[in-house]
mmCIF file of all heavy atoms in Angstrom:
data_model
loop_
_atom_site.group_PDB
_atom_site.id
_atom_site.type_symbol
_atom_site.label_atom_id
_atom_site.label_comp_id
_atom_site.label_asym_id
_atom_site.label_seq_id
_atom_site.Cartn_x
_atom_site.Cartn_y
_atom_site.Cartn_z
ATOM 1 N N LEU W 185 15.908 -30.724 -66.929
ATOM 2 C CA LEU W 185 15.101 -30.156 -68.023
ATOM 3 C C LEU W 185 13.609 -30.380 -67.808
ATOM 4 O O LEU W 185 12.781 -29.628 -68.334
ATOM 5 C CB LEU W 185 15.531 -30.755 -69.376
ATOM 6 C CG LEU W 185 16.908 -30.328 -69.883
ATOM 7 C CD1 LEU W 185 17.255 -31.071 -71.168
ATOM 8 C CD2 LEU W 185 16.962 -28.817 -70.123
ATOM 9 N N MET W 186 13.246 -31.405 -67.025
ATOM 10 C CA MET W 186 11.829 -31.677 -66.747
ATOM 11 C C MET W 186 11.137 -30.496 -66.058
ATOM 12 O O MET W 186 9.917 -30.376 -66.067
ATOM 13 C CB MET W 186 11.667 -32.930 -65.879
ATOM 14 C CG MET W 186 11.919 -34.225 -66.602
ATOM 15 S SD MET W 186 10.837 -34.504 -68.024
ATOM 16 C CE MET W 186 9.274 -34.907 -67.233
ATOM 17 N N GLN W 187 11.922 -29.624 -65.425
ATOM 18 C CA GLN W 187 11.357 -28.426 -64.793
ATOM 19 C C GLN W 187 11.078 -27.334 -65.818
ATOM 20 O O GLN W 187 10.595 -26.278 -65.447
ATOM 21 C CB GLN W 187 12.355 -27.841 -63.782
ATOM 22 C CG GLN W 187 12.543 -28.640 -62.540
ATOM 23 C CD GLN W 187 13.664 -28.054 -61.693
ATOM 24 O OE1 GLN W 187 14.566 -28.773 -61.294
ATOM 25 N NE2 GLN W 187 13.631 -26.749 -61.427
ATOM 26 N N ASN W 188 11.451 -27.590 -67.077
ATOM 27 C CA ASN W 188 11.356 -26.564 -68.100
ATOM 28 C C ASN W 188 12.050 -25.278 -67.627
ATOM 29 O O ASN W 188 11.454 -24.207 -67.593
ATOM 30 C CB ASN W 188 9.885 -26.293 -68.430
ATOM 31 C CG ASN W 188 9.725 -25.384 -69.624
ATOM 32 O OD1 ASN W 188 10.627 -25.300 -70.466
ATOM 33 N ND2 ASN W 188 8.616 -24.675 -69.693
ATOM 34 N N PRO W 189 13.322 -25.415 -67.252
ATOM 35 C CA PRO W 189 13.999 -24.273 -66.626
ATOM 36 C C PRO W 189 14.371 -23.186 -67.626
ATOM 37 O O PRO W 189 14.651 -23.471 -68.781
ATOM 38 C CB PRO W 189 15.273 -24.911 -66.046
ATOM 39 C CG PRO W 189 15.568 -26.048 -66.967
ATOM 40 C CD PRO W 189 14.227 -26.570 -67.421
ATOM 41 N N LYS W 190 14.364 -21.950 -67.161
ATOM 42 C CA LYS W 190 14.903 -20.845 -67.958
ATOM 43 C C LYS W 190 16.422 -20.860 -67.846
ATOM 44 O O LYS W 190 17.128 -20.420 -68.730
ATOM 45 C CB LYS W 190 14.421 -19.496 -67.384
ATOM 46 C CG LYS W 190 12.999 -19.154 -67.655
ATOM 47 C CD LYS W 190 12.747 -18.887 -69.106
ATOM 48 C CE LYS W 190 13.168 -17.487 -69.521
ATOM 49 N NZ LYS W 190 12.766 -17.215 -70.917
ATOM 50 N N ILE W 191 16.862 -21.352 -66.677
ATOM 51 C CA ILE W 191 18.288 -21.267 -66.381
ATOM 52 C C ILE W 191 18.720 -22.570 -65.717
ATOM 53 O O ILE W 191 17.960 -23.165 -64.944
ATOM 54 C CB ILE W 191 18.531 -20.016 -65.488
ATOM 55 C CG1 ILE W 191 19.994 -19.689 -65.326
ATOM 56 C CG2 ILE W 191 17.896 -20.135 -64.143
ATOM 57 C CD1 ILE W 191 20.202 -18.239 -64.894
ATOM 58 N N LEU W 192 19.908 -23.045 -66.080
ATOM 59 C CA LEU W 192 20.434 -24.265 -65.468
ATOM 60 C C LEU W 192 21.738 -23.923 -64.738
ATOM 61 O O LEU W 192 22.661 -23.368 -65.335
ATOM 62 C CB LEU W 192 20.708 -25.338 -66.534
ATOM 63 C CG LEU W 192 21.270 -26.651 -65.988
ATOM 64 C CD1 LEU W 192 20.238 -27.392 -65.141
ATOM 65 C CD2 LEU W 192 21.741 -27.560 -67.116
ATOM 66 N N LEU W 193 21.772 -24.235 -63.447
ATOM 67 C CA LEU W 193 22.972 -24.017 -62.651
ATOM 68 C C LEU W 193 23.724 -25.348 -62.571
ATOM 69 O O LEU W 193 23.142 -26.365 -62.188
ATOM 70 C CB LEU W 193 22.596 -23.562 -61.236
ATOM 71 C CG LEU W 193 21.623 -22.390 -61.140
ATOM 72 C CD1 LEU W 193 21.270 -22.100 -59.672
ATOM 73 C CD2 LEU W 193 22.224 -21.149 -61.788
ATOM 74 N N ALA W 194 24.980 -25.343 -62.958
ATOM 75 C CA ALA W 194 25.765 -26.579 -62.965
ATOM 76 C C ALA W 194 26.955 -26.395 -62.028
ATOM 77 O O ALA W 194 27.858 -25.606 -62.308
ATOM 78 C CB ALA W 194 26.228 -26.902 -64.386
ATOM 79 N N ASP W 195 26.920 -27.087 -60.879
ATOM 80 C CA ASP W 195 27.967 -26.908 -59.867
ATOM 81 C C ASP W 195 29.078 -27.936 -60.055
ATOM 82 O O ASP W 195 28.941 -29.072 -59.644
ATOM 83 C CB ASP W 195 27.344 -27.037 -58.466
ATOM 84 C CG ASP W 195 28.291 -26.553 -57.380
ATOM 85 O OD1 ASP W 195 29.395 -26.050 -57.721
ATOM 86 O OD2 ASP W 195 27.949 -26.668 -56.195
ATOM 87 N N GLU W 196 30.144 -27.535 -60.698
ATOM 88 C CA GLU W 196 31.279 -28.417 -61.004
ATOM 89 C C GLU W 196 30.796 -29.730 -61.622
ATOM 90 O O GLU W 196 31.095 -30.816 -61.112
ATOM 91 C CB GLU W 196 32.074 -28.719 -59.722
ATOM 92 C CG GLU W 196 32.582 -27.464 -59.040
ATOM 93 C CD GLU W 196 34.067 -27.251 -59.212
ATOM 94 O OE1 GLU W 196 34.689 -27.957 -60.025
ATOM 95 O OE2 GLU W 196 34.590 -26.354 -58.534
ATOM 96 N N PRO W 197 30.064 -29.650 -62.735
ATOM 97 C CA PRO W 197 29.423 -30.850 -63.282
ATOM 98 C C PRO W 197 30.401 -31.899 -63.792
ATOM 99 O O PRO W 197 30.008 -33.053 -63.959
ATOM 100 C CB PRO W 197 28.571 -30.299 -64.439
ATOM 101 C CG PRO W 197 29.276 -29.043 -64.845
ATOM 102 C CD PRO W 197 29.801 -28.462 -63.566
ATOM 103 N N VAL W 198 31.652 -31.502 -64.052
ATOM 104 C CA VAL W 198 32.595 -32.473 -64.614
ATOM 105 C C VAL W 198 33.784 -32.724 -63.690
ATOM 106 O O VAL W 198 34.758 -33.360 -64.090
ATOM 107 C CB VAL W 198 33.073 -32.025 -66.025
ATOM 108 C CG1 VAL W 198 31.873 -31.963 -66.975
ATOM 109 C CG2 VAL W 198 33.787 -30.687 -66.008
ATOM 110 N N ALA W 199 33.691 -32.267 -62.450
ATOM 111 C CA ALA W 199 34.852 -32.359 -61.554
ATOM 112 C C ALA W 199 35.222 -33.805 -61.219
ATOM 113 O O ALA W 199 36.362 -34.079 -60.867
ATOM 114 C CB ALA W 199 34.583 -31.565 -60.276
ATOM 115 N N SER W 200 34.269 -34.737 -61.325
ATOM 116 C CA SER W 200 34.647 -36.121 -61.011
ATOM 117 C C SER W 200 34.754 -36.975 -62.280
ATOM 118 O O SER W 200 34.718 -38.194 -62.210
ATOM 119 C CB SER W 200 33.643 -36.726 -60.025
ATOM 120 O OG SER W 200 32.344 -36.641 -60.544
ATOM 121 N N LEU W 201 34.887 -36.322 -63.440
ATOM 122 C CA LEU W 201 34.957 -37.058 -64.709
ATOM 123 C C LEU W 201 36.321 -36.873 -65.369
ATOM 124 O O LEU W 201 36.975 -35.852 -65.174
ATOM 125 C CB LEU W 201 33.859 -36.567 -65.649
ATOM 126 C CG LEU W 201 32.422 -36.645 -65.098
ATOM 127 C CD1 LEU W 201 31.444 -36.000 -66.069
ATOM 128 C CD2 LEU W 201 32.028 -38.089 -64.811
ATOM 129 N N ASP W 202 36.711 -37.872 -66.186
ATOM 130 C CA ASP W 202 37.998 -37.747 -66.886
ATOM 131 C C ASP W 202 37.841 -36.720 -68.030
ATOM 132 O O ASP W 202 36.727 -36.355 -68.390
ATOM 133 C CB ASP W 202 38.470 -39.104 -67.391
ATOM 134 C CG ASP W 202 37.519 -39.686 -68.417
ATOM 135 O OD1 ASP W 202 37.294 -39.037 -69.468
ATOM 136 O OD2 ASP W 202 36.962 -40.767 -68.163
ATOM 137 N N PRO W 203 38.981 -36.253 -68.591
ATOM 138 C CA PRO W 203 38.911 -35.151 -69.563
ATOM 139 C C PRO W 203 37.996 -35.423 -70.763
ATOM 140 O O PRO W 203 37.223 -34.545 -71.155
ATOM 141 C CB PRO W 203 40.364 -34.979 -70.009
ATOM 142 C CG PRO W 203 41.167 -35.456 -68.849
ATOM 143 C CD PRO W 203 40.378 -36.573 -68.229
ATOM 144 N N SER W 204 38.033 -36.614 -71.340
ATOM 145 C CA SER W 204 37.216 -36.795 -72.546
ATOM 146 C C SER W 204 35.734 -36.887 -72.190
ATOM 147 O O SER W 204 34.873 -36.358 -72.905
ATOM 148 C CB SER W 204 37.707 -37.973 -73.382
ATOM 149 O OG SER W 204 37.019 -39.134 -73.055
ATOM 150 N N THR W 205 35.416 -37.526 -71.054
ATOM 151 C CA THR W 205 34.016 -37.559 -70.609
ATOM 152 C C THR W 205 33.553 -36.155 -70.249
ATOM 153 O O THR W 205 32.405 -35.782 -70.496
ATOM 154 C CB THR W 205 33.866 -38.495 -69.389
ATOM 155 O OG1 THR W 205 34.528 -39.718 -69.673
ATOM 156 C CG2 THR W 205 32.424 -38.784 -69.082
ATOM 157 N N SER W 206 34.452 -35.360 -69.682
ATOM 158 C CA SER W 206 34.110 -33.977 -69.337
ATOM 159 C C SER W 206 33.665 -33.211 -70.575
ATOM 160 O O SER W 206 32.658 -32.504 -70.560
ATOM 161 C CB SER W 206 35.313 -33.248 -68.737
ATOM 162 O OG SER W 206 35.674 -33.837 -67.525
ATOM 163 N N HIS W 207 34.420 -33.374 -71.669
ATOM 164 C CA HIS W 207 34.051 -32.687 -72.909
ATOM 165 C C HIS W 207 32.677 -33.144 -73.385
ATOM 166 O O HIS W 207 31.870 -32.339 -73.841
ATOM 167 C CB HIS W 207 35.100 -32.922 -73.996
ATOM 168 C CG HIS W 207 36.200 -31.909 -73.965
ATOM 169 N ND1 HIS W 207 35.999 -30.601 -74.349
ATOM 170 C CD2 HIS W 207 37.488 -31.990 -73.577
ATOM 171 C CE1 HIS W 207 37.132 -29.921 -74.206
ATOM 172 N NE2 HIS W 207 38.049 -30.747 -73.729
ATOM 173 N N SER W 208 32.419 -34.434 -73.279
ATOM 174 C CA SER W 208 31.128 -34.942 -73.732
ATOM 175 C C SER W 208 29.994 -34.288 -72.942
ATOM 176 O O SER W 208 29.008 -33.810 -73.523
ATOM 177 C CB SER W 208 31.113 -36.471 -73.596
ATOM 178 O OG SER W 208 29.804 -36.935 -73.452
ATOM 179 N N VAL W 209 30.130 -34.228 -71.611
ATOM 180 C CA VAL W 209 29.077 -33.617 -70.784
ATOM 181 C C VAL W 209 28.949 -32.122 -71.101
ATOM 182 O O VAL W 209 27.842 -31.597 -71.253
ATOM 183 C CB VAL W 209 29.354 -33.862 -69.282
ATOM 184 C CG1 VAL W 209 28.466 -32.984 -68.412
ATOM 185 C CG2 VAL W 209 29.148 -35.336 -68.942
ATOM 186 N N MET W 210 30.089 -31.434 -71.250
ATOM 187 C CA MET W 210 30.044 -30.003 -71.570
ATOM 188 C C MET W 210 29.356 -29.768 -72.912
ATOM 189 O O MET W 210 28.626 -28.788 -73.087
ATOM 190 C CB MET W 210 31.460 -29.410 -71.601
ATOM 191 C CG MET W 210 32.166 -29.352 -70.251
ATOM 192 S SD MET W 210 31.312 -28.412 -68.975
ATOM 193 C CE MET W 210 31.415 -26.742 -69.633
ATOM 194 N N LYS W 211 29.582 -30.692 -73.863
ATOM 195 C CA LYS W 211 28.940 -30.532 -75.188
ATOM 196 C C LYS W 211 27.418 -30.644 -75.078
ATOM 197 O O LYS W 211 26.694 -29.956 -75.789
ATOM 198 C CB LYS W 211 29.488 -31.559 -76.177
ATOM 199 C CG LYS W 211 30.813 -31.121 -76.752
ATOM 200 C CD LYS W 211 31.328 -32.103 -77.789
ATOM 201 C CE LYS W 211 32.762 -31.716 -78.175
ATOM 202 N NZ LYS W 211 33.592 -32.869 -78.473
#
Side-chain angles (χ1 to χ4, degrees):
L185 290 176
M186 287 301 286
Q187 289 173 231
N188 188 24
K190 286 292 280 186
I191 190 160
L192 180 68
L193 309 177
D195 193 4
E196 302 254 11
V198 298
S200 56
L201 304 174
D202 63 59
S204 94
T205 312
S206 296
H207 272 289
S208 154
V209 167
M210 292 302 293
K211 279 183 188 146

